[in-house]
Amino acid sequence: MIMRVLWLFLLLVLKLENGLLLASGVGTNHSTRPRTVTIGAIFSFNSTIGKVAKVAIQAAVDDVNSSSQVLNGTNLSITMQDCQSGFLGIIQTMTFMESDVVAIIGPQSSDIAHVVSQVATGLQVPLLTFAGTDPTLSSVEYPFVVPTTQNDLFQMAAIADIVSHYGWREVTAIYTDDSYGRNGIVSLGDELAKRQCRISYKAPLSPDPSIDDIRSVLFKVISEESRILVIHTYDKFGLEILEVARSLQMLDSSFVWIATRWLTDVIDTDSPLSTDALSDVQGFITLRPHTPNSQPKKNFMARWSNLVRKENMNNALFGLNTFGLYAYDTVWILAYALDAYFSQGGNISFTKYSTLDHAKGSSNLHLDSISSFDGGESLLSKIYQTNMTGLTGLIRFDKDRYLINPAFDIINVVGTGLYTIGYWSNHSGLSVKPPEDVRSKPPVSSERLLSVIWPGKTTEKPRGWVYPNNGKVLRIGVPRRVNYLEFVSYSARTDSFTGYSIDVFTSALNLLPYGIAYKLIPFGDGKSNPKIDDLIEELARGVFDAVVGDIVITTKRTRMVDFTQPFVESGLVVVAPVKTKESDAWAFLWPLTPMLWCVTGLSVIVLGAVIWILEHRFNDEFRGSPQNQIKTVIWFSCSTWFGSQRETTLSVLGRIVLFIWMFVILIVKSSYTASLSSIQTVQNLYSPVKGIETLMESKYPIGYQNGSFSESYLHEELHFPMSRLVALENENEYVEALRKGPKNGGVAAIVDDMTRIETFLAKRCEFTVRGQKFTKNGRGFAFPRGSPLAVDMSTAILKMTENGDLQRIHDKWLRKSACRSQDTKLTVNRLELKSFSGLFLLSGVACIFALILYFGVMVRKFMRFRPPKEEESVSPTAQITQPTCLKTFFTFANAKDDETQSC
């Protein structure tokens, strides 16, 4: 019967919220500036938060009433009620409205705030909660709820940044299973996901847990692999949880404990803690809402002991926590809002509901006396327009109606003190400087947090996870290959795997500091190579816990899973058949490129012409009829190649030019002889495929191993059409396709991984690698995203590299034969012009210099031996018939050196 009455009452309140009850009209009215304004406060007096808030709120009311800066003579009258449950909070809130309360401060519990907010909305009374940190207490859903403290949404963002900063990827969340705990952990999960982290296990506690309940939950936590524990609960349960954790040996160096703000509230309020309690929290990281060290805050903290004595004469002293600071500022926020409300003509008036008259005298609730505040919406608007500086710093609300500049101190509990190792703000994230300093001047240092003393009094960052002792056996997928069995080979008879990859995996496991139970599970039908991308997708979906084999690490795959350190480097290469090139009648032309042949021939002709010019006037061997001179020049030029010229040079310039040319001839002849000898002595293998560039320029079909990433890379990255790509299953198909060639239904080349190709070529010398590797990849083992096993296995592989185990396993399975060296005899490089350009340039410069010097000397002699001109009458006809001076110079140059010249 009582429960039915309670439900009927709750439905009545919800109707009030939806505006379905009609007001009767005129209620109580007061003057614009009343002598007294009544406000209410509802919280738990005996809690860690409540006992501090009670003193702080009363101090704030007294300070407001004694201040001349606000309310101008209007006094605040506050009524406080002790609230322990949600239903009692509704009753107490309704009772407040009998005394014309214009606003309510509290409640401290988010759970109670959710319930009371319905009443506050229905009665149009602003509800200023200084301790309701639930992320879902938003003004959108609860318009008359005003959070005047930092929301847990930002606290969880700070914790997520801490987890990410230390490189951890998974956390276990221990929390109270109510709206406050659940909603906070949901926000933590969202923030961790933004940083590629996650909550691997959630451990909810009942809202009022017993010791056995706590022990049962912590037993499950121990069985999980994550050792990063985030504890989000109430101050009254936190130390009890840690006491049970101590008995289960969960406070040693293998665990990391991150506590939300409840821990700093307990330590700030109840210090000094007992010896056991203080021992339990050593090495903890916890958070505290950041409040700048302003002078008003210091003054208030200096008054705190006297305020506590005044309020609690018979009780022991207790400290001031941040909730007390926010409670104090909440009263001032309300005072400034009321002052602005009165300044704009607002008054205090309430309206009674005629539909509640039937309840008059029917119960002790006095529902007929309940009224709604007519100016509630206006006062609410003034609250959100607050712009003041309080004990907690600058107080303003942003567009989402949260307090601006949310920030937290990151604290490490060491010894008997709390040490600030850094700060977090939504403006700058983690920083070793206070948020107000960072906002005014960005930090130069990249340091984000100071050193931490972890549980167990160690400064070494904990690994953060262990292999779980819950009996779980890792399901490890292994591709069941049909070729290249050196890497992975499956025996159906014994249901076991062998091979290079398997040996590397088991050796790495032996180096781990813990044991792992695992089972290798074949993936594939054993008739064709399975697609590795399909296996990776199975791992990403949780079908497998790891993938082991010759798994090539690609960009696409790293987006889905995590890989270990590569245990072998590799890359894609092109394999093509090679043939022996038969010698022909023109093989002697092969050592020099056509360009080099042309330049050499032209140089020979130019040299002959230069020598003729330099020797013509002095050397009888370069004189005679024009026909004889042309023959002499050609013969001399050609004979210099063999050093058999019979003509001698007499001039100094001619000898210098010829000497330099003979040096050029010596180098070219020697190189030609060496190249021709190589062609005759080395087996001349050739292939029309020079590398991946040749395949891109042609239209020939290309083979690849079915199931490998070669297909996707050729098609998606290099844009080869699928019509040109031929899937091949095994090495026999490789050989058959390459031997047939593209014209007979085969392929021009095969693209595959270098490591596998080396094994293939070790047995078949008729094929070879053409060109260079055009990708750079490695092989590794795959694990789910965020798996700490990937990190530990990478460390083990690096140790194997250092101690030589990895090389020994490589030599055991992948030893090469002599056939691997065949690529060195495939091509004899032809001599190119660029190799001799310096020599030809030197010879050319010598020729030009000699000609310039020679013609200079000739002009000088011509001017010296030329007779003076005779006086002649100036006649146009005479000038036309007279031989030109240029013609005379050529005649002079053609004559022997001892002849007399005249114009």
Side-chain angles (χ1 to χ4, degrees):
M1 184 65 181
I2 296 176
M3 290 302 298
R4 178 178 296 180
V5 172
L6 295 180
W7 276 112
L8 290 175
F9 176 74
L10 184 58
L11 289 175
L12 179 63
V13 172
L14 293 177
K15 288 185 178 181
L16 282 172
E17 179 188 2
N18 294 325
L20 298 178
L21 297 179
L22 300 177
S24 62
V26 181
T28 307
N29 288 292
H30 301 285
S31 62
T32 303
R33 283 278 181 177
R35 179 179 294 272
T36 302
V37 175
T38 303
I39 61 175
I42 177 173
F43 49 86
S44 177
F45 290 174
N46 295 324
S47 66
T48 300
I49 297 174
K51 64 184 181 183
V52 174
K54 184 178 180 182
V55 176
I57 290 173
Q58 187 59 59
V61 171
D62 294 341
D63 291 346
V64 167
N65 290 336
S66 62
S67 174
S68 59
Q69 299 177 356
V70 65
L71 288 180
N72 296 323
T74 299
N75 287 332
L76 291 180
S77 175
I78 186 163
T79 302
M80 299 187 191
Q81 295 199 23
D82 190 5
C83 177
Q84 301 293 337
S85 66
F87 176 73
L88 186 58
I90 294 177
I91 302 301
Q92 292 167 333
T93 303
M94 301 288 283
T95 305
F96 276 141
M97 299 315 296
E98 297 180 18
S99 55
D100 295 345
V101 169
V102 300
I104 300 173
I105 297 175
Q108 72 183 57
S109 167
S110 298
D111 257 0
I112 298 177
H114 277 286
V115 178
V116 175
S117 62
Q118 308 289 344
V119 179
T121 301
L123 300 179
Q124 302 286 287
V125 177
L127 190 69
L128 290 79
T129 173
F130 63 90
T133 60
D134 187 342
T136 62
L137 279 176
S138 65
S139 59
V140 175
E141 186 174 358
Y142 307 102
F144 274 81
V145 175
V146 183
T148 57
T149 187
Q150 299 291 0
N151 194 283
D152 276 343
L153 177 68
F154 305 108
Q155 180 177 212
M156 297 308 174
I159 292 176
D161 269 350
I162 294 171
V163 171
S164 177
H165 170 73
Y166 288 111
W168 300 313
R169 288 291 174 264
E170 295 183 352
V171 304
T172 294
I174 304 171
Y175 61 97
T176 301
D177 193 14
D178 58 8
S179 59
Y180 160 74
R182 286 191 299 269
N183 294 332
I185 294 304
V186 168
S187 295
L188 175 61
D190 294 340
E191 294 297 330
L192 287 172
K194 295 176 183 178
R195 297 156 178 81
Q196 304 300 316
C197 307
R198 70 187 184 100
I199 299 175
S200 60
Y201 181 71
K202 294 181 179 180
L205 290 162
S206 65
D208 190 11
S210 65
I211 297 298
D212 290 337
D213 293 336
I214 296 173
R215 181 174 286 106
S216 175
V217 169
L218 294 186
F219 265 128
K220 295 178 182 178
V221 170
I222 294 176
S223 66
E224 297 298 317
E225 66 179 31
S226 174
R227 287 298 184 260
I228 311 299
L229 309 182
V230 176
I231 178 169
H232 181 53
T233 185
Y234 296 105
D235 50 77
K236 60 182 178 180
F237 300 130
L239 295 180
E240 292 181 10
I241 295 172
L242 299 184
E243 184 179 350
V244 177
R246 186 207 324 145
S247 67
L248 298 177
Q249 299 182 348
M250 295 178 65
L251 302 178
D252 60 20
S253 58
S254 64
F255 288 87
V256 173
W257 288 84
I258 302 176
T260 52
R261 61 185 292 181
W262 67 266
L263 181 54
T264 52
D265 293 329
V266 170
I267 296 176
D268 289 339
T269 307
D270 297 330
S271 287
L273 299 180
S274 66
T275 303
D276 288 341
L278 190 61
S279 175
D280 292 343
V281 297
Q282 291 301 301
F284 272 47
I285 291 180
T286 184
L287 291 88
R288 176 199 285 144
H290 177 71
T291 55
N293 289 322
S294 61
Q295 192 59 46
K297 175 183 170 182
K298 293 178 181 178
N299 295 339
F300 185 75
M301 294 177 69
R303 297 168 50 198
W304 181 252
S305 296
N306 293 331
L307 293 173
V308 174
R309 290 191 184 96
K310 176 183 176 182
E311 190 69 27
N312 301 278
M313 297 182 62
N314 299 323
N315 295 330
L317 295 178
F318 49 83
L320 172 64
N321 58 42
T322 53
F323 280 116
L325 300 177
Y326 282 105
Y328 181 91
D329 281 349
T330 300
V331 175
W332 279 91
I333 291 172
L334 184 55
Y336 276 108
L338 285 168
D339 189 55
Y341 174 75
F342 293 143
S343 297
Q344 294 186 3
N347 61 358
I348 305 300
S349 65
F350 297 86
T351 300
K352 293 184 179 180
Y353 291 97
S354 58
T355 51
L356 295 176
D357 288 343
H358 70 281
K360 184 176 182 180
S362 61
S363 70
N364 294 326
L365 294 176
H366 305 290
L367 298 180
D368 57 318
S369 302
I370 295 177
S371 304
S372 66
F373 179 33
D374 295 333
E377 290 190 0
S378 179
L379 178 60
L380 182 67
S381 175
K382 297 298 181 292
I383 291 173
Y384 282 122
Q385 294 172 14
T386 299
N387 186 357
M388 57 171 278
T389 299
L391 302 183
T392 58
L394 181 62
I395 298 175
R396 287 209 308 266
F397 293 91
D398 60 19
K399 62 179 181 178
D400 297 320
R401 296 187 172 181
Y402 292 122
L403 289 177
I404 64 169
N405 302 329
F408 289 86
D409 300 337
I410 312 299
I411 294 172
N412 184 206
V413 183
V414 181
T416 58
L418 301 177
Y419 293 90
T420 301
I421 60 172
Y423 304 88
W424 180 93
S425 73
N426 66 335
H427 170 73
S428 59
L430 297 176
S431 172
V432 295
K433 288 190 174 182
E436 54 271 18
D437 293 348
V438 176
R439 281 192 293 269
S440 60
K441 185 179 180 181
V444 178
S445 173
S446 60
E447 189 177 18
R448 300 175 65 192
L449 289 178
L450 300 177
S451 60
V452 177
I453 304 297
W454 302 101
K457 298 181 180 180
T458 177
T459 57
E460 182 180 355
K461 185 195 77 172
R463 183 173 59 191
W465 80 285
V466 296
Y467 187 73
N469 57 359
N470 54 9
K472 179 181 179 181
V473 177
L474 292 184
R475 293 172 51 86
I476 299 178
V478 184
R480 188 177 180 183
R481 303 192 57 85
V482 296
N483 61 350
Y484 296 121
L485 301 182
E486 296 88 350
F487 292 94
V488 176
S489 176
Y490 175 69
S491 172
R493 183 175 59 86
T494 60
D495 189 24
S496 61
F497 287 90
T498 58
Y500 174 51
S501 301
I502 303 301
D503 279 6
V504 173
F505 176 71
T506 54
S507 297
L509 285 182
N510 292 334
L511 294 176
L512 297 181
Y514 46 85
I516 290 180
Y518 66 92
K519 179 177 177 57
L520 300 178
I521 302 173
F523 180 81
D525 55 12
K527 299 178 181 178
S528 61
N529 289 322
K531 288 190 175 183
I532 302 300
D533 286 343
D534 294 343
L535 181 55
I536 295 298
E537 289 177 1
E538 293 282 280
L539 173 62
R541 287 197 294 265
V543 177
F544 297 109
D545 300 306
V547 169
V548 171
D550 56 331
I551 311 300
V552 177
I553 303 172
T554 66
T555 303
K556 176 182 177 182
R557 293 171 184 173
T558 55
R559 295 193 182 104
M560 296 186 289
V561 298
D562 286 346
F563 282 91
T564 63
Q565 169 82 12
F567 56 85
V568 62
E569 296 292 338
S570 189
L572 291 180
V573 293
V574 175
V575 177
V578 292
K579 298 179 180 178
T580 303
K581 185 176 181 180
E582 300 293 339
S583 297
D584 55 26
W586 303 100
F588 68 91
L589 296 175
W590 179 256
L592 305 185
T593 60
M595 178 60 70
L596 183 55
W597 276 118
C598 293
V599 171
T600 303
L602 181 62
S603 299
V604 168
I605 296 173
V606 170
L607 175 80
V610 171
I611 294 296
W612 179 84
I613 293 173
L614 297 177
E615 297 289 327
H616 178 66
R617 298 186 72 245
F618 307 96
N619 197 336
D620 290 334
E621 294 181 352
F622 288 92
R623 299 186 64 80
S625 63
Q627 294 83 355
N628 288 335
Q629 294 184 51
I630 293 174
K631 293 178 182 178
T632 299
V633 169
I634 295 175
W635 171 252
F636 180 83
S637 301
C638 295
S639 61
T640 56
W641 181 264
F642 307 100
S644 60
Q645 68 277 6
R646 56 192 177 93
E647 294 79 11
T648 59
T649 54
L650 302 177
S651 64
V652 176
L653 292 177
R655 290 176 178 177
I656 292 175
V657 170
L658 185 60
F659 173 78
I660 295 175
W661 173 249
M662 294 301 290
F663 179 73
V664 174
I665 288 298
L666 175 64
I667 301 300
V668 175
K669 282 174 58 180
S670 300
S671 301
Y672 173 85
T673 303
S675 181
L676 185 60
S677 299
S678 298
I679 292 175
Q680 298 300 325
T681 57
V682 177
Q683 183 184 7
N684 190 14
L685 303 178
Y686 83 99
S687 172
V689 178
K690 307 300 180 185
I692 191 63
E693 296 81 7
T694 304
L695 299 179
M696 296 177 70
E697 295 170 358
S698 70
K699 296 185 180 298
Y700 292 142
I702 305 168
Y704 67 92
Q705 183 186 164
N706 188 26
S708 70
F709 86 103
S710 306
E711 176 188 6
S712 60
Y713 187 86
L714 291 171
H715 179 60
E716 297 173 7
E717 301 296 333
L718 300 184
H719 307 294
F720 282 94
M722 290 300 298
S723 59
R724 289 184 57 191
L725 303 181
V726 180
L728 303 173
E729 291 292 344
N730 51 49
E731 298 178 20
N732 293 333
E733 291 189 10
Y734 275 24
V735 174
E736 182 181 357
L738 287 172
R739 286 176 177 173
K740 285 183 177 180
K743 296 181 180 180
N744 298 315
V747 297
I750 288 174
V751 173
D752 202 349
D753 186 79
M754 182 66 190
T755 309
R756 287 195 288 257
I757 288 301
E758 287 178 343
T759 305
F760 172 73
L761 295 180
K763 308 171 185 176
R764 297 167 179 85
C765 299
E766 59 191 291
F767 311 111
T768 190
V769 174
R770 302 297 286 133
Q772 303 295 322
K773 289 189 296 186
F774 54 92
T775 66
K776 187 175 182 180
N777 303 100
R779 283 181 168 80
F781 306 132
F783 292 88
R785 294 300 296 269
S787 172
L789 258 178
V791 178
D792 285 359
M793 287 293 287
S794 294
T795 304
I797 291 173
L798 289 175
K799 290 181 181 178
M800 293 174 63
T801 304
E802 295 170 357
N803 61 25
D805 288 348
L806 199 60
Q807 186 62 46
R808 284 190 288 272
I809 296 173
H810 182 276
D811 294 341
K812 172 184 175 182
W813 291 98
L814 305 179
R815 187 167 302 189
K816 317 290 187 310
S817 70
C819 253
R820 184 172 175 266
S821 63
Q822 64 182 345
D823 190 48
T824 59
K825 59 183 180 181
L826 179 62
T827 301
V828 177
N829 291 330
R830 304 179 71 181
L831 302 177
E832 298 182 356
L833 176 62
K834 63 182 180 180
S835 302
F836 304 96
S837 57
L839 291 173
F840 284 112
L841 179 63
L842 177 64
S843 178
V845 170
C847 291
I848 294 173
F849 176 77
L851 289 175
I852 293 174
L853 190 60
Y854 173 78
F855 281 112
V857 172
M858 286 291 298
V859 170
R860 183 172 176 271
K861 287 183 177 182
F862 176 70
M863 298 300 295
R864 179 182 298 175
F865 293 106
R866 181 181 179 187
K869 291 184 179 181
E870 299 178 355
E871 295 292 335
E872 298 179 358
S873 59
V874 180
S875 168
T877 305
Q879 290 180 2
I880 294 173
T881 58
Q882 184 181 15
T884 64
C885 187
L886 183 61
K887 184 176 181 181
T888 305
F889 175 77
F890 283 127
T891 303
F892 171 79
N894 190 48
K896 284 211 65 165
D897 188 56
D898 55 354
E899 292 184 6
T900 304
Q901 304 298 325
S902 63
C903 289

